[in-house]
Structures are given as structure tokens and as C-alpha cells.
């Protein structure tokens, strides 16, 4: 399953530096001028989950395969992007292709790194980015609603729902609020999602701070945190500069380097987990002598859907799922012990998968 999180922001806020560290590559060109990244750079990252190593140790697995997220480094937006300023049209189309958006905001002072608007104000940066996305959404909806209303008047039931969704989103956008503020029923959610609105995507605010503020944040990042809390959005403090240094270190030296900075783990781990939570994803596991593997499904997925993530045949021929909670699997020292303790459950088609489930699927060929 491909889940994509786009990294967006104004030029020179540290997006590409962050992306480089995130994917531990130099694929994105980090340069001190706007529009240095013309094509989106795409990188897959492993979702850090200590449960997987524990599972592999208990199951004596030969290989560990984590679940993954895709991050897309999207070139810097500027004021007027919705009207094609800079390379606006390309950037907006790239944002449409992701499932969630990380707003990288500059929360550091550095006279050697220019700011496209000659000031350091992360909230104003966020407003600039979001305003351009809202203007693009407004233009898109105002153009499409005319045709949808004609179909609705002609008795097209789906068009009636579509018009209602468009009007609800327009009401927020016209008041300067992103489309994600729109309340949508579960019944109408698929139609709303099909509108493809940029500001309907969930957001994580990433405060890119100076090296000395990596552990505690600073005055700039605290303002961003307040905004995130008010919106019930995800928030992460990161020093892209430090993350870039960590990415270059051998694995054995990283822990000691983090300790000297007062950090328990790389900030990128928190960003990856925030992206995972933002997309409302959970992890289930499969384990055996060959491999211990993490798999990703949306929260609320049922057992056959989880089976389908492994192979479509598993979903088509689903019979049941032998399921053990992670803690029970570890406490029983593996499948046999958990089964002896009565902790293995036989779950059917209606079972809602829980985060941490260790599962073995039975299916008919």
C-alpha cells in the first residue's frame, strides 16, 4: 500500500535538507535559492517500531522487514503560486498526489540563509503556503460546481451529494479556512475525497529549529505548536541541520551523538510516526522463522482487508485470521506459548484489526 506524505514550505526553510536526512540520500538538491527542486523527489522510509525487533527475537526470524512510508520533497511555494508564480502549477499538481502534507516552517535565525520574504515568521510562512493552496481550491471548486449543479438539477443523485460537499467546502474556503475544517459524514466522505482538494489533506507542522533548540524548541516553534494544538494537528520539532549530520554518521555512533544533544532519538523518527498517525494508519505483524514483518492498514480495517495487503488472493479466499495481541505473543514467548495460554483468537470477516496484532491468515485457494 502506498502512503505518501508531501513536504512543503517556502524556499530556504530546510525542506530539502530534511528530505535528504529523512531518506539518507543526497537526492534532493539543497541550495540557497528558490526553485532549486523542480521535480519532486521521492523517498521511502522505514517506520521505526521497536516492537518489530522484539517480535523477531521471540520468533527467531532470519529477517526483519519494517512497514514503510513515502515522503515527497515538493519544491518551495511562493506567494502567487496558485496563479502560476514561480513554478506554482507544477508544485500544486504534485501536492494533489500525496495523502498528507508536512508544512516545514523556518524557526531559526541565520543571516547566511536568505528568506524569500526577508523576515523570520513561521506563522506568516504557514499562512502564505495555506493561502495559495486555498486559492487553488477555490478556483477549482468555483469552476466545477456549475457543471455539478446542472447534473443535480437533472436528477443525478451523486451530483446532488457532490454539490452539497462542494458548497460545504466553499463556505470554509471563502471564510479563509482550509477545506479540512469541513464536517463530512461517513456516507459522504468518498465523494468529498474525490474532490481532490489541496487543503482537505491532513497536516503536520514541522518546526525547523537551530541546533541549540533541537531538544527544547524555541520561541518560534512554540508559536507553531500553539497553532497546531488549536487545529488538533500533528506537530514536530526538528533541526534539519542536526538530522543531516546524524544521517552521515555510522549507526554505532548515532546514539552517543544524540545523547550529547539531549535527544532520545532522531527527530525524523518523530516525524515519520507523526506522518503515520496523520494518515490514521496502524500496524499489524506477521512472524515466523523466515521473517518478522510489519504491515500497514487504515484504522478500522477488517481482517480480510488486512489479508489483502499481503496478497489479493488472501482477501478473496479469506477464511479466518489466527490473531494474537503483541503483548500476549511476547509474554507467551511466541505463537505456541500464547496458544497454550489461550491467547490466540480465531477471528472472522468482521474482525476489526487492532494495532499490534500478530496475525496468520487462513484462506481457500
Amino acid at each position: 500500500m502506498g502512503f505518501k506524505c508531501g513536504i512543503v514550505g517556502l524556499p530556504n526553510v530546510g525542506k530539502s535538507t530534511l528530505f535528504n536526512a529523512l531518506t539518507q540520500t543526497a537526492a534532493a538538491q539543497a541550495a540557497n535559492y528558490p526553485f532549486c527542486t523542480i521535480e519532486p523527489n521521492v523517498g521511502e522510509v522505514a517506520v521505526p517500531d521497536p516492537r518489530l525487533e522484539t517480535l523477531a527475537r521471540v520468533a527467531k526470524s532470519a529477517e526483519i522487514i519494517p512497514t514503510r512510508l513515502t515522503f515527497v520533497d515538493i519544491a518551495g511555494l511562493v506567494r502567487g503560486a496558485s496563479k502560476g508564480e514561480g513554478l506554482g502549477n507544477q508544485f500544486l499538481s504534485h501536492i494533489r498526489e500525496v495523502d498528507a502534507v508536512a508544512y516545514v516552517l523556518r524557526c531559526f535565525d541565520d543571516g547566511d540563509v536568505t528568506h524569500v520574504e526577508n523576515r523570520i515568521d513561521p506563522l506568516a510562512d504557514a499562512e502564505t503556503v495555506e493561502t495559495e493552496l486555498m486559492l487553488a481550491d477555490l478556483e477549482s471548486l468555483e469552476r466545477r460546481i456549475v457543471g455539478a449543479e446542472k447534473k443535480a438539477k437533472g436528477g443525478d443523485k451523486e451530483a446532488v451529494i457532490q454539490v452539497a460537499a462542494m458548497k460545504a467546502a466553499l463556505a470554509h474556503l471563502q471564510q479563509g479556512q482550509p477545506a479540512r475544517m469541513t464536517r463530512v459524514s461517513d456516507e459522504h466522505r468518498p465523494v468529498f475525497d474525490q474532490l481532490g482538494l489541496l487543503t482537505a489533506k491532513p497536516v503536520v507542522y514541522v518546526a525547523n529549529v537551530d541546533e541549540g533548540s533541537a531538544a527544547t524548541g524555541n520561541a518560534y516553534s512554540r508559536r507553531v505548536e500553539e497553532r497546531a494544538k488549536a487545529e488538533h494537528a500533528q506537530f514536530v520539532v526538528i533541526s534539519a541541520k542536526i538530522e543531516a549530520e546524524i544521517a552521515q554518521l555510522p549507526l554505532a555512533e548515532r546514539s552517543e551523538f544524540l545523547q550529547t544533544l539531549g535527544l532520545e532519538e532522531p527527530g525524523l523518527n518523530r516525524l515519520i510516526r507523526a506522518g503515520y498517525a496523520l494518515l490514521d494508519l496502524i500496524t499489524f505483524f506477521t512472524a515466523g522463522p523466515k521473517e518478522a514483518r510489519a504491515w500497514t492498514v487504515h484504522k478500522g480495517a477488517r481482517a480480510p482487508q488486512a489479508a489483502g495487503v499481503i496478497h489479493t488472493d488472501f482477501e478473496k479466499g479469506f477464511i479466518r485470521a489466527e490473531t494474537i495481541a503483541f503483548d500476549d505473543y511476547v509474554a507467551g514467548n511466541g505463537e505456541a506459548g500464547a496458544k497454550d495460554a489461550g491467547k490466540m483468537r480465531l477471528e472472522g470477516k468482521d474482525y476489526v484489526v487492532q494495532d499490534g496484532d500478530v496475525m496468520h491468515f487462513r484462506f481457500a485457494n
Side-chain angles (χ1 to χ4, degrees):
M1 299 176 77
F3 299 101
K4 290 184 180 179
C5 185
I7 301 176
V8 303
L10 298 183
N12 302 335
V13 297
K15 290 187 307 84
S16 293
T17 303
L18 192 62
F19 176 84
N20 290 343
L22 193 65
T23 57
Q24 295 186 16
T25 71
Q29 180 189 5
N32 186 22
Y33 57 91
F35 318 127
C36 64
T37 314
I38 296 173
E39 292 300 321
N41 289 277
V42 180
E44 277 201 343
V45 296
V47 176
D49 192 330
R51 294 177 299 181
L52 193 53
E53 288 188 16
T54 303
L55 203 61
R57 189 171 62 250
V58 171
K60 296 180 174 59
S61 306
E63 189 178 4
I64 295 176
I65 305 176
T67 189
R68 305 181 79 78
L69 271 183
T70 298
F71 279 87
V72 182
D73 177 28
I74 298 168
L77 280 163
V78 294
R79 199 178 298 279
S82 60
K83 301 298 181 187
E85 289 295 322
L87 296 172
N89 293 331
Q90 289 183 49
F91 304 163
L92 295 174
S93 69
H94 294 151
I95 294 170
R96 289 190 201 285
E97 294 168 8
V98 300
D99 302 299
V101 182
Y103 285 1
V104 180
L105 304 173
R106 179 170 170 173
C107 294
F108 63 89
D109 295 301
D110 188 337
D112 293 330
V113 180
T114 60
H115 188 287
V116 72
E117 295 194 355
N118 297 314
R119 47 113 180 99
I120 308 300
D121 186 340
L123 294 188
D125 289 357
E127 290 295 338
T128 298
V129 173
E130 191 130 276
T131 296
E132 294 306 320
L133 301 187
M134 286 193 289
L135 288 170
D137 281 345
L138 263 172
E139 184 186 353
S140 171
L141 286 178
E142 287 170 350
R143 188 177 65 249
R144 288 187 288 162
I145 196 168
V146 177
E149 283 178 329
K150 283 181 183 176
K151 287 183 180 178
K153 285 175 183 174
D156 187 319
K157 291 181 180 179
E158 189 173 335
V160 171
I161 298 171
Q162 194 176 49
V163 168
M166 286 180 169
K167 285 183 175 178
L170 276 169
H172 284 281
L173 291 165
Q174 287 163 348
Q175 292 173 27
Q177 297 173 342
R180 63 180 173 276
M181 300 298 183
T182 310
R183 288 188 179 180
V184 184
S185 67
D186 290 342
E187 181 188 356
H188 293 170
R189 172 58 64 181
V191 174
F192 182 81
D193 289 344
Q194 284 169 14
L195 297 177
L197 301 176
L198 301 170
T199 61
K201 298 179 188 296
V203 168
V204 53
Y205 289 99
V206 181
N208 183 18
V209 300
D210 57 280
E211 293 165 272
S213 305
T216 59
N218 59 23
Y220 291 132
S221 68
R222 282 187 276 279
R223 292 173 62 204
V224 177
E225 185 176 15
E226 286 174 15
R227 175 175 174 138
K229 281 181 179 175
E231 294 182 10
H232 304 289
Q234 295 282 330
F235 167 76
V236 180
V237 171
I238 279 182
S239 169
K241 215 168 182 179
I242 286 176
E243 300 301 324
E245 290 177 36
I246 293 170
Q248 300 303 316
L249 289 173
L251 287 172
E253 296 176 21
R254 292 182 186 184
S255 191
E256 187 179 344
F257 179 66
L258 287 166
Q259 286 176 7
T260 64
L261 298 167
L263 297 169
E264 292 182 8
E265 64 176 351
L268 293 177
N269 285 14
R270 297 195 303 277
L271 174 57
I272 294 166
R273 283 199 297 268
Y276 201 69
L278 196 64
L279 291 167
D280 213 18
L281 306 175
I282 61 169
T283 300
F284 73 91
F285 302 103
T286 54
K290 183 181 175 183
E291 65 181 34
R293 185 163 185 161
W295 304 87
T296 300
V297 289
H298 278 290
K299 194 177 289 184
R302 299 189 185 276
Q305 291 173 283
V309 172
I310 299 174
H311 198 288
T312 51
D313 288 349
F314 287 17
E315 182 172 7
K316 290 173 187 172
F318 179 88
I319 298 173
R320 65 177 182 272
E322 297 171 357
T323 307
I324 306 169
F326 172 79
D327 288 343
D328 292 335
Y329 189 96
V330 175
N333 199 32
E335 183 179 319
K339 191 174 183 179
D340 290 344
K343 297 297 184 180
M344 177 186 281
R345 310 183 309 275
L346 299 181
E347 302 289 2
K349 292 182 178 180
D350 292 331
Y351 176 68
V352 176
V353 179
Q354 301 300 303
D355 186 62
D357 278 349
V358 183
M359 308 184 82
H360 180 74
F361 297 102
R362 298 291 184 186
F363 68 101
N365 288 318

mmCIF file of all heavy atoms in Angstrom, residues 246-272:
data_model
loop_
_atom_site.group_PDB
_atom_site.id
_atom_site.type_symbol
_atom_site.label_atom_id
_atom_site.label_comp_id
_atom_site.label_asym_id
_atom_site.label_seq_id
_atom_site.Cartn_x
_atom_site.Cartn_y
_atom_site.Cartn_z
ATOM 1 N N ILE A 246 23.335 13.496 11.577
ATOM 2 C CA ILE A 246 23.063 12.138 12.068
ATOM 3 C C ILE A 246 23.048 11.150 10.907
ATOM 4 O O ILE A 246 23.587 10.047 10.999
ATOM 5 C CB ILE A 246 21.705 12.091 12.824
ATOM 6 C CG1 ILE A 246 21.782 12.906 14.119
ATOM 7 C CG2 ILE A 246 21.315 10.646 13.143
ATOM 8 C CD1 ILE A 246 20.440 13.104 14.797
ATOM 9 N N ALA A 247 22.450 11.565 9.801
ATOM 10 C CA ALA A 247 22.319 10.680 8.642
ATOM 11 C C ALA A 247 23.673 10.261 8.080
ATOM 12 O O ALA A 247 23.795 9.204 7.463
ATOM 13 C CB ALA A 247 21.492 11.363 7.552
ATOM 14 N N GLN A 248 24.698 11.085 8.309
ATOM 15 C CA GLN A 248 26.035 10.785 7.785
ATOM 16 C C GLN A 248 26.859 9.918 8.733
ATOM 17 O O GLN A 248 27.910 9.394 8.358
ATOM 18 C CB GLN A 248 26.799 12.099 7.525
ATOM 19 C CG GLN A 248 26.123 13.028 6.525
ATOM 20 C CD GLN A 248 25.881 12.377 5.172
ATOM 21 O OE1 GLN A 248 26.760 11.709 4.650
ATOM 22 N NE2 GLN A 248 24.687 12.560 4.627
ATOM 23 N N LEU A 249 26.392 9.767 9.975
ATOM 24 C CA LEU A 249 27.156 9.006 10.971
ATOM 25 C C LEU A 249 26.921 7.499 10.842
ATOM 26 O O LEU A 249 25.820 7.075 10.476
ATOM 27 C CB LEU A 249 26.755 9.437 12.386
ATOM 28 C CG LEU A 249 27.197 10.823 12.869
ATOM 29 C CD1 LEU A 249 26.555 11.103 14.228
ATOM 30 C CD2 LEU A 249 28.713 10.912 12.975
ATOM 31 N N PRO A 250 27.923 6.687 11.169
ATOM 32 C CA PRO A 250 27.690 5.242 11.252
ATOM 33 C C PRO A 250 26.648 4.962 12.334
ATOM 34 O O PRO A 250 26.560 5.699 13.330
ATOM 35 C CB PRO A 250 29.056 4.688 11.669
ATOM 36 C CG PRO A 250 30.046 5.761 11.330
ATOM 37 C CD PRO A 250 29.316 7.061 11.481
ATOM 38 N N LEU A 251 25.867 3.925 12.169
ATOM 39 C CA LEU A 251 24.791 3.604 13.116
ATOM 40 C C LEU A 251 25.292 3.514 14.558
ATOM 41 O O LEU A 251 24.630 3.964 15.485
ATOM 42 C CB LEU A 251 24.118 2.283 12.722
ATOM 43 C CG LEU A 251 23.208 2.326 11.493
ATOM 44 C CD1 LEU A 251 22.776 0.922 11.113
ATOM 45 C CD2 LEU A 251 21.991 3.193 11.765
ATOM 46 N N ALA A 252 26.478 2.957 14.735
ATOM 47 C CA ALA A 252 27.021 2.754 16.082
ATOM 48 C C ALA A 252 27.293 4.067 16.808
ATOM 49 O O ALA A 252 27.297 4.110 18.042
ATOM 50 C CB ALA A 252 28.304 1.934 15.997
ATOM 51 N N GLU A 253 27.517 5.150 16.069
ATOM 52 C CA GLU A 253 27.865 6.432 16.690
ATOM 53 C C GLU A 253 26.664 7.354 16.901
ATOM 54 O O GLU A 253 26.778 8.369 17.582
ATOM 55 C CB GLU A 253 28.910 7.158 15.814
ATOM 56 C CG GLU A 253 30.241 6.423 15.711
ATOM 57 C CD GLU A 253 31.214 7.120 14.769
ATOM 58 O OE1 GLU A 253 31.022 8.334 14.532
ATOM 59 O OE2 GLU A 253 32.146 6.459 14.264
ATOM 60 N N ARG A 254 25.541 7.000 16.331
ATOM 61 C CA ARG A 254 24.400 7.912 16.375
ATOM 62 C C ARG A 254 23.851 8.117 17.782
ATOM 63 O O ARG A 254 23.512 9.231 18.171
ATOM 64 C CB ARG A 254 23.285 7.406 15.444
ATOM 65 C CG ARG A 254 23.675 7.485 13.991
ATOM 66 C CD ARG A 254 22.553 7.040 13.075
ATOM 67 N NE ARG A 254 23.018 7.008 11.696
ATOM 68 C CZ ARG A 254 22.238 6.727 10.658
ATOM 69 N NH1 ARG A 254 20.962 6.442 10.850
ATOM 70 N NH2 ARG A 254 22.735 6.714 9.433
ATOM 71 N N SER A 255 23.745 7.026 18.524
ATOM 72 C CA SER A 255 23.177 7.098 19.867
ATOM 73 C C SER A 255 23.961 8.042 20.769
ATOM 74 O O SER A 255 23.393 8.883 21.476
ATOM 75 C CB SER A 255 23.134 5.691 20.471
ATOM 76 O OG SER A 255 22.383 5.676 21.623
ATOM 77 N N GLU A 256 25.288 7.933 20.734
ATOM 78 C CA GLU A 256 26.148 8.790 21.554
ATOM 79 C C GLU A 256 26.011 10.257 21.137
ATOM 80 O O GLU A 256 25.939 11.153 21.980
ATOM 81 C CB GLU A 256 27.610 8.346 21.423
ATOM 82 C CG GLU A 256 28.559 9.076 22.364
ATOM 83 C CD GLU A 256 29.998 8.594 22.221
ATOM 84 O OE1 GLU A 256 30.219 7.512 21.635
ATOM 85 O OE2 GLU A 256 30.897 9.321 22.679
ATOM 86 N N PHE A 257 25.948 10.499 19.831
ATOM 87 C CA PHE A 257 25.796 11.859 19.318
ATOM 88 C C PHE A 257 24.482 12.466 19.795
ATOM 89 O O PHE A 257 24.426 13.627 20.215
ATOM 90 C CB PHE A 257 25.851 11.838 17.786
ATOM 91 C CG PHE A 257 25.692 13.192 17.136
ATOM 92 C CD1 PHE A 257 26.653 14.180 17.305
ATOM 93 C CD2 PHE A 257 24.584 13.477 16.357
ATOM 94 C CE1 PHE A 257 26.513 15.424 16.712
ATOM 95 C CE2 PHE A 257 24.427 14.719 15.756
ATOM 96 C CZ PHE A 257 25.403 15.697 15.933
ATOM 97 N N LEU A 258 23.408 11.680 19.762
ATOM 98 C CA LEU A 258 22.103 12.153 20.220
ATOM 99 C C LEU A 258 22.128 12.506 21.699
ATOM 100 O O LEU A 258 21.557 13.519 22.125
ATOM 101 C CB LEU A 258 21.034 11.085 19.948
ATOM 102 C CG LEU A 258 20.610 10.906 18.487
ATOM 103 C CD1 LEU A 258 19.817 9.617 18.310
ATOM 104 C CD2 LEU A 258 19.773 12.098 18.030
ATOM 105 N N GLN A 259 22.800 11.669 22.492
ATOM 106 C CA GLN A 259 22.886 11.916 23.937
ATOM 107 C C GLN A 259 23.571 13.233 24.241
ATOM 108 O O GLN A 259 23.163 13.963 25.149
ATOM 109 C CB GLN A 259 23.619 10.763 24.622
ATOM 110 C CG GLN A 259 22.781 9.490 24.739
ATOM 111 C CD GLN A 259 23.557 8.333 25.344
ATOM 112 O OE1 GLN A 259 24.686 8.490 25.810
ATOM 113 N NE2 GLN A 259 22.959 7.146 25.345
ATOM 114 N N THR A 260 24.625 13.563 23.494
ATOM 115 C CA THR A 260 25.334 14.831 23.731
ATOM 116 C C THR A 260 24.430 16.022 23.452
ATOM 117 O O THR A 260 24.646 17.122 23.975
ATOM 118 C CB THR A 260 26.595 14.938 22.842
ATOM 119 O OG1 THR A 260 26.195 14.964 21.468
ATOM 120 C CG2 THR A 260 27.547 13.790 23.094
ATOM 121 N N LEU A 261 23.398 15.825 22.642
ATOM 122 C CA LEU A 261 22.465 16.910 22.302
ATOM 123 C C LEU A 261 21.214 16.892 23.180
ATOM 124 O O LEU A 261 20.337 17.746 23.035
ATOM 125 C CB LEU A 261 22.039 16.788 20.831
ATOM 126 C CG LEU A 261 23.155 16.912 19.792
ATOM 127 C CD1 LEU A 261 22.661 16.471 18.425
ATOM 128 C CD2 LEU A 261 23.664 18.348 19.733
ATOM 129 N N GLY A 262 21.139 15.907 24.077
ATOM 130 C CA GLY A 262 19.966 15.806 24.949
ATOM 131 C C GLY A 262 18.754 15.219 24.246
ATOM 132 O O GLY A 262 17.617 15.457 24.648
ATOM 133 N N LEU A 263 18.992 14.436 23.181
ATOM 134 C CA LEU A 263 17.895 13.844 22.411
ATOM 135 C C LEU A 263 17.852 12.332 22.617
ATOM 136 O O LEU A 263 18.886 11.676 22.651
ATOM 137 C CB LEU A 263 18.068 14.142 20.919
ATOM 138 C CG LEU A 263 18.016 15.614 20.503
ATOM 139 C CD1 LEU A 263 18.465 15.767 19.057
ATOM 140 C CD2 LEU A 263 16.618 16.179 20.676
ATOM 141 N N GLU A 264 16.653 11.779 22.758
ATOM 142 C CA GLU A 264 16.491 10.336 22.932
ATOM 143 C C GLU A 264 16.516 9.594 21.601
ATOM 144 O O GLU A 264 16.915 8.429 21.537
ATOM 145 C CB GLU A 264 15.168 10.043 23.657
ATOM 146 C CG GLU A 264 15.159 10.507 25.119
ATOM 147 C CD GLU A 264 13.863 10.157 25.808
ATOM 148 O OE1 GLU A 264 13.041 9.424 25.212
ATOM 149 O OE2 GLU A 264 13.660 10.602 26.947
ATOM 150 N N GLU A 265 16.080 10.246 20.559
ATOM 151 C CA GLU A 265 16.011 9.632 19.238
ATOM 152 C C GLU A 265 16.075 10.729 18.185
ATOM 153 O O GLU A 265 15.859 11.903 18.485
ATOM 154 C CB GLU A 265 14.711 8.833 19.090
ATOM 155 C CG GLU A 265 13.458 9.699 19.161
ATOM 156 C CD GLU A 265 12.175 8.924 18.920
ATOM 157 O OE1 GLU A 265 12.248 7.742 18.527
ATOM 158 O OE2 GLU A 265 11.104 9.513 19.120
ATOM 159 N N PRO A 266 16.364 10.376 16.937
ATOM 160 C CA PRO A 266 16.352 11.396 15.883
ATOM 161 C C PRO A 266 14.964 12.018 15.747
ATOM 162 O O PRO A 266 13.940 11.345 15.919
ATOM 163 C CB PRO A 266 16.710 10.597 14.618
ATOM 164 C CG PRO A 266 17.396 9.371 15.103
ATOM 165 C CD PRO A 266 16.759 9.053 16.430
ATOM 166 N N GLY A 267 14.939 13.296 15.448
ATOM 167 C CA GLY A 267 13.654 13.972 15.245
ATOM 168 C C GLY A 267 12.894 13.376 14.080
ATOM 169 O O GLY A 267 11.661 13.409 14.031
ATOM 170 N N LEU A 268 13.629 12.807 13.130
ATOM 171 C CA LEU A 268 12.987 12.201 11.972
ATOM 172 C C LEU A 268 12.101 11.023 12.361
ATOM 173 O O LEU A 268 11.088 10.775 11.723
ATOM 174 C CB LEU A 268 14.052 11.743 10.967
ATOM 175 C CG LEU A 268 14.840 12.880 10.313
ATOM 176 C CD1 LEU A 268 15.903 12.318 9.393
ATOM 177 C CD2 LEU A 268 13.928 13.809 9.545
ATOM 178 N N ASN A 269 12.486 10.304 13.411
ATOM 179 C CA ASN A 269 11.628 9.202 13.890
ATOM 180 C C ASN A 269 10.262 9.746 14.304
ATOM 181 O O ASN A 269 9.226 9.150 14.019
ATOM 182 C CB ASN A 269 12.277 8.483 15.071
ATOM 183 C CG ASN A 269 13.429 7.591 14.645
ATOM 184 O OD1 ASN A 269 13.913 7.705 13.524
ATOM 185 N ND2 ASN A 269 13.870 6.717 15.527
ATOM 186 N N ARG A 270 10.299 10.899 14.992
ATOM 187 C CA ARG A 270 9.037 11.512 15.421
ATOM 188 C C ARG A 270 8.226 11.980 14.221
ATOM 189 O O ARG A 270 6.998 11.866 14.205
ATOM 190 C CB ARG A 270 9.316 12.687 16.368
ATOM 191 C CG ARG A 270 10.006 12.292 17.668
ATOM 192 C CD ARG A 270 9.939 13.407 18.705
ATOM 193 N NE ARG A 270 10.521 14.659 18.229
ATOM 194 C CZ ARG A 270 11.816 14.945 18.247
ATOM 195 N NH1 ARG A 270 12.675 14.053 18.724
ATOM 196 N NH2 ARG A 270 12.270 16.109 17.805
ATOM 197 N N LEU A 271 8.921 12.520 13.209
ATOM 198 C CA LEU A 271 8.221 12.984 12.007
ATOM 199 C C LEU A 271 7.570 11.816 11.274
ATOM 200 O O LEU A 271 6.421 11.918 10.828
ATOM 201 C CB LEU A 271 9.195 13.711 11.078
ATOM 202 C CG LEU A 271 8.627 14.135 9.709
ATOM 203 C CD1 LEU A 271 7.402 15.024 9.883
ATOM 204 C CD2 LEU A 271 9.691 14.840 8.887
ATOM 205 N N ILE A 272 8.294 10.712 11.153
ATOM 206 C CA ILE A 272 7.746 9.539 10.462
ATOM 207 C C ILE A 272 6.512 9.026 11.210
ATOM 208 O O ILE A 272 5.479 8.733 10.608
ATOM 209 C CB ILE A 272 8.810 8.435 10.341
ATOM 210 C CG1 ILE A 272 9.947 8.895 9.414
ATOM 211 C CG2 ILE A 272 8.196 7.138 9.807
ATOM 212 C CD1 ILE A 272 11.198 8.035 9.501
#
